Structures are given as structure tokens and as C-alpha cells.
Amino acid sequence: MALLIDYARDTGRSTDPRLVKSILLNSATKLDGWSQEWDVHPATGTVINYTPVDNAQGTGRIDLTKAYAQYAASTDNDTAPGAVGTAGWDVSTVSQGSPREYVIDTMLPAGSTLAATLIWFMDRSVSNFDYTSPDPFAYTDFTNDSFDDLDLYLYASDVGGSAQGNALAASVSGWDPANPDATATGLDSVEHLYLELPADGRYLLRVGWTQELFDYVGDVNAEDFALSWSIDALTPGDSNGDGLVDGEDLSFWQQYYEDRKSVV
């Protein structure tokens, strides 16, 4: 992690801890057995991930090479809501009633893998800090002030960058499939999407402020966050997703059509 921080400082990129965490989690490699808990909302058809990360692996094994590429994909100045590339990050603020949207500004083939990770923190305060203590973490009063709930959504997008229909997928911590219309109450500060895109087309990510889980200080309904995303797009003709277009792809399609003929 220190190497990433040095790189960010040398290149003028943000070293916000929310961003560093978001990049490390989003660029992690999924190991065998990695999973999330998903279900489909019966009214909207949205596929909802209600446990953002695997209970054993988190988002996977840290991959510093991918983390570097993820960090390099954006700077503090060129990422803003609107059209973005297939990899990037943003550090921003979202408020009640004003979601932030990031439109992936390219046509993406079905089967491309999307990873997106949203990080925010609980608001806390420290008072009566003992500046004379050799302990850098010494304090006498430490309080939890407020905790906002943010959620992460994936939509199909039109050419103009507008969301189409209901969300295709969402990461909503604490959502209960048995009570799908109830407000989710999960105490979490991470949302993570990892899925294959269902069809050729354009897509956008939306960060939404959902609710306050608690607020003891009466602060505004807004929260700072970091979002990282990346899409591994399939190469046209790469039917088996191995990054190559070769005879194995031809065999894949030949077998596919043989299987389809046996069904007809």
C-alpha cells in the first residue's frame, strides 16, 4: 500500500483513505469459491447483492499490479459525473435526492466483467486530544456522530447517457429478499458489484444517498465517498473469454450450434 501512496503523491493523485481502500478492493483477484449473496427484486427485476463481499475472502486477493493500473486510470481533475472510461475512480460527495452518475462512454459486449466498489466512512469526532502523549492515538473522548447509508446501482444507458428503466443490478447491504420493499438497515460502509454484463450496450453506475442509519449531531444529509470501477471487455470473437481469438473459439461456437440443434 505504501507504494501506491508514493505513486499517488508523486503524480498528484488523491491519497484519500476511502479511495485507497476502494482501489485495493476493486482490483483484487477473486479466488476459487468467491461468492456474493444475490436475489431478484420481484417488482423491478433488479438483481440485488445484499452481502457486498465474500465472508471469507472479502473482495479477493490483493493484486498490486491491477491496483496500480486502477490508480493510473484517473486523476483528481478528469473524473466527474458524466462520461467516463472503462476504468477509473472518483472522490466526491453525494447528497439526499441528488445521486451521482458515471456513464461508461463506449459500447460494451455482453459477457464483459464489471467490478465497482463504493467506500465511505462513519462520521466520528475526537475531542480533548492529548498532544503531549507519546501515543499518537491518545485521546480522552471519541464519539460516533452519524452514519449515512449509500448504495450502488448499475443501469442500462442510452446514447445520451440517461438511465433506461429499472436498475439492472444493485449492491444494497442488508436488503432482505423475504421483505423486498422494506428499507435495508445494514450497518456497512462498502458496496461492491462484480458481474458479467447481460447484453451488448451502454451502461452507467449510480451512487445514491439512501438514508441516515443514525445522526446524533444533526448534520446534513450528504456523505463523502470514493468509487472505483473497471470493466474487462471481451474481445470480439473471443467466445470463451480467454483473451485470444483462435481455433478454440471456433470450436466453442461449433459445439454451441450442435447443442442448439439437439434441442430443436
Side-chain angles (χ1 to χ4, degrees), residues 5 52 69 72 77 100 107 111 121 125 159 162 168 175 187-189 197 217-218 220 231-232 252 259:
I5 296 295
N77 302 317
R100 306 274 290 188
M107 284 289 294
F121 290 157
S125 61
V159 176
S162 298
L168 300 173
W175 180 71
L187 286 172
D188 212 331
S189 59
L197 299 180
V217 295
V220 297
I231 299 173
D232 291 332
F252 175 91
D259 292 342

Side-chain angles (χ1 to χ4, degrees), residues 185-218:
T185 57
L187 286 172
D188 212 331
S189 59
V190 56
E191 299 292 356
H192 182 62
L193 288 172
Y194 185 78
L195 71 158
E196 291 186 355
L197 299 180
D200 295 351
R202 296 177 181 271
Y203 293 86
L204 68 81
L205 291 165
R206 175 181 291 173
V207 176
W209 186 99
T210 303
Q211 62 179 330
E212 283 185 321
L213 298 171
F214 63 79
D215 182 3
Y216 303 128
V217 295

Side-chain angles (χ1 to χ4, degrees), residues 217-233:
V217 295
D219 61 7
V220 297
N221 292 343
E223 188 60 47
D224 298 333
F225 69 88
L227 175 69
S228 300
W229 68 89
S230 62
I231 299 173
D232 291 332

Side-chain angles (χ1 to χ4, degrees), residues 22-177:
S22 177
I23 286 175
L24 287 172
L25 295 185
N26 202 64
S27 58
T29 298
K30 272 57 177 172
L31 304 178
D32 290 344
W34 187 90
S35 66
Q36 294 174 311
E37 291 186 281
W38 299 83
D39 213 323
V40 179
H41 193 289
T44 66
T46 303
V47 178
I48 300 178
N49 164 28
Y50 53 92
T51 55
V53 299
D54 183 274
N55 290 331
Q57 294 187 32
T59 62
R61 181 181 60 199
I62 288 177
D63 186 326
L64 291 179
T65 300
K66 289 184 178 179
Y68 169 80
Q70 179 81 70
Y71 228 141
S74 294
T75 72
D76 286 350
N77 302 317
D78 67 3
T79 301
V84 297
T86 55
W89 53 262
D90 190 27
V91 179
S92 191
T93 303
V94 65
S95 59
Q96 183 178 16
S98 299
R100 306 274 290 188
E101 293 186 346
Y102 303 83
V103 181
I104 312 301
D105 191 26
T106 187
M107 284 289 294
L108 296 167
S112 300
T113 301
L114 164 76
T117 306
L118 173 65
I119 298 292
W120 70 102
F121 290 157
M122 182 185 297
D123 296 324
R124 292 171 168 163
S125 61
V126 176
S127 57
N128 299 324
F129 189 86
D130 184 1
Y131 292 94
T132 65
S133 172
D135 180 0
F137 301 104
Y139 50 80
T140 56
D141 294 307
F142 174 74
T143 58
N144 296 331
D145 293 337
S146 66
F147 194 18
D148 294 356
D149 182 23
L150 309 185
D151 292 318
L152 180 60
Y153 303 89
L154 174 70
Y155 285 83
S157 168
D158 64 15
V159 176
S162 298
Q164 301 297 292
N166 296 319
L168 300 173
S171 181
V172 182
S173 300
W175 180 71
D176 183 4

